[in-house]
Amino acid sequence: MSSFAHFTPLAASLPASVPFVGPEAIERSRGLTVKARIGANESGFGPAPSVLEAIGSAAAETWKYADPENFALKQALAAHLGCRPENFAIGEGIDSLLGQIVRLVIEPGAPVVSSFGAYPTFNFHVAGHGGRLVTTPYVDDREDMEGLLALVKRENAPLVYFANPDNPMGSWWDAERVVEFARSVPETCLLILDEAYCETAPDGATPAATALIDRPNVIRTRTFSKAYGLAGARVGYAISTPGNVQAFDKIRNHFGMSRISVAAALAALKDQDYLRTVVTSIVQARETIAGIARDNGLHPLPSATNFVTIDCGRDGTYARAIVDGLMEHGVFIRMPGVAPLNRCIRISTGPEPDMALLAEALPQVLRTLA
C-alpha cells in the first residue's frame, strides 16, 4: 500500500496503530454484538438529565464555533475548584492535552519517565514526538513513586508521567504522599499528574486543586469522561500556573472544542447532586464486580476508579482467554497490556443489567478454560 514518499523520518518509522482497540472494531472483526460495554472505563450511568437538556439546547447553535478562549468553562472550573480562570487549559479530553504537553517539552531522543504498563496513549504521544520512554515497574500493583523519581534523576529527564488513581490497576496513593512526590521532582522535570479518576477516589486521595498550583513543573490533568459521563464529548482540562496555561495557546487547536461539548461540561459542573449519585452507583458497582470475581475464585484488587482490576491468578494468555471468552457472550472488557500486570482483567462499572450479564457469563467462560 503506497503512501507519500516524503514523510519525516520519524513519521515514517512509526507504526500506524491505535492504543486501544474499540468495541466497535471488535464487533466488526468478530461479527459479535456488545451487550455489556464495560471495558473502556466509560460511565454506563450516563450524564445527568440536566446535561442532556443542555446538549439539546446547544444543538441549535452548533453552527457556531465554540469560544476559542473557553472563557465560560474556565470561569466555572475556577469557581468549582477554588482556583483562578488563568490556571486552566481546556482540551479535547486528557488524551489531547497529553499530546500537547509532550509536544511542548520533548525533543527527539529526550528521555520520558513513566511506569511500565501505565496509560498507553501517553506512550503513543511520546513515540509520536520522538521521545525515548524509560520505565520503572509497578510495585504491589501501584505506581512506584520512588522508582519514578530515581529514573528522573538518573536520566535527567524533562518529563515524568504519574496517574493517581492509576489506570490500569485502579490503585492510588494518599494526597499527602502525592504532594510530597510532586515537590521532590526536580525543577528541571515537568510532572504530569493525571487525575482522570479523581471524582471516584476516596476522601484523602486527591490533593486540593490549589495544593500544587504554584509549581511551574507540575501540570495536573482531569476530564469529564469518567464520573461525569461525557466520554463521547471529549472535554478535559489541565490545572497549572498561568505561564504553563499560556504555553498551550502556542500549539493547541483553538477551535478544537465542540460548542455542544462545552455546554455539556458547564451543565455537568452545575449538577453536583447528580455526580454524587453516580459516584455512589460506581462504588456499589465496584462491590458487585468484586463479589462476582470472588464467587468465581478470582481476586479483585482495591479500586479508587470506575473499574475493578481482577487478578486471574495465572498469566496474560489466561487473562486474554477470559477477555475473548466474555466477548463471545457480548461482554466487552479489557486487560493490562504487559506482564506482570496482564495476569489481570479490568472491568468497568456499569448499571445492573450489565453486571447481571457479567455474573452470568463469567462462570461459563471459566468452565471452558478449566
Side-chain angles (χ1 to χ4, degrees):
M1 184 167 57
S2 62
S3 63
F4 180 61
H6 300 287
F7 288 144
T8 67
L10 173 59
S13 72
L14 296 171
S17 62
V18 178
F20 294 100
V21 178
E24 297 85 356
I26 297 173
E27 288 181 321
R28 290 190 295 268
S29 64
R30 296 181 60 182
L32 300 170
T33 299
V34 170
K35 299 175 184 177
R37 185 173 169 131
I38 49 175
N41 302 347
E42 303 150 325
S43 176
F45 303 106
S50 61
V51 173
L52 296 176
E53 183 178 353
I55 289 172
S57 298
E61 295 191 331
T62 196
W63 60 274
K64 301 177 183 178
Y65 291 114
D67 174 11
E69 296 180 13
N70 298 298
F71 178 85
L73 186 51
K74 289 183 179 182
Q75 292 282 333
L77 286 167
H80 179 62
L81 294 172
C83 301
R84 295 180 294 167
E86 53 265 39
N87 291 125
F88 296 94
I90 309 299
E92 305 92 314
I94 285 179
D95 290 351
S96 177
L97 292 166
L98 291 177
Q100 292 170 20
I101 295 169
V102 173
R103 181 181 173 188
L104 284 168
V105 176
I106 295 305
E107 296 178 320
V112 179
V113 172
S114 184
S115 300
F116 185 59
Y119 191 44
T121 300
F122 175 70
N123 304 346
F124 175 82
H125 288 305
V126 171
H129 289 282
R132 175 172 58 87
L133 195 68
V134 185
T135 61
T136 189
Y138 281 65
V139 174
D140 296 328
D141 295 322
R142 293 202 292 183
E143 291 200 68
D144 177 16
M145 288 186 279
E146 292 182 1
L148 291 169
L149 189 59
L151 273 186
V152 166
K153 294 177 178 179
R154 189 192 80 188
E155 298 285 333
N156 193 24
L159 187 62
V160 57
Y161 174 87
F162 170 67
N164 190 63
D166 174 71
N167 177 17
M169 304 309 285
S171 53
W172 72 99
W173 292 93
D174 63 69
E176 182 177 350
R177 182 69 181 87
V178 172
V179 170
E180 179 185 345
F181 168 67
R183 295 190 180 279
S184 299
V185 174
E187 293 181 358
T188 53
C189 180
L190 178 66
L191 166 64
I192 299 175
L193 176 55
D194 189 340
E195 299 176 318
Y197 299 93
C198 61
E199 287 88 4
T200 61
D203 291 341
T206 303
T210 55
L212 297 164
I213 206 69
D214 61 337
R215 295 192 68 81
N217 70 326
V218 177
I219 297 180
R220 301 165 72 174
T221 56
R222 297 184 179 182
T223 184
F224 286 86
S225 294
K226 307 304 179 185
Y228 285 107
L230 292 174
R234 311 310 302 132
V235 185
Y237 59 97
I239 310 171
S240 195
T241 63
N244 285 345
V245 167
Q246 288 178 2
F248 284 92
D249 286 339
K250 300 179 180 182
I251 60 167
R252 70 183 176 92
N253 179 359
H254 292 76
F255 289 105
M257 298 303 299
S258 156
R259 193 176 188 91
I260 293 174
S261 297
V262 172
L266 287 167
L269 273 180
K270 289 181 180 179
D271 203 337
Q272 292 296 305
D273 287 341
Y274 182 80
L275 177 67
R276 284 186 283 271
T277 299
V278 166
V279 170
T280 297
S281 296
I282 288 171
V283 171
Q284 293 172 344
R286 287 197 308 233
E287 294 172 353
T288 298
I289 294 170
I292 293 170
R294 293 189 193 98
D295 290 345
N296 287 277
L298 306 179
H299 176 62
L301 304 182
S303 174
T305 63
N306 70 341
F307 61 85
V308 178
T309 299
I310 298 170
D311 188 340
C312 298
R314 299 192 194 179
D315 57 13
T317 300
Y318 183 67
R320 170 54 61 189
I322 295 174
V323 171
D324 291 342
L326 284 173
M327 187 61 212
E328 292 290 334
H329 293 264
V331 179
F332 165 69
I333 69 166
R334 282 186 174 141
M335 60 183 287
V338 301
L341 309 184
N342 66 355
R343 72 188 192 282
C344 301
I345 57 176
R346 194 196 68 191
I347 302 176
S348 306
T349 57
E352 181 53 38
D354 291 353
M355 301 294 96
L357 283 171
L358 173 67
E360 179 183 358
L362 182 59
Q364 297 180 53
V365 171
L366 292 176
R367 281 196 295 269
T368 67
L369 300 176

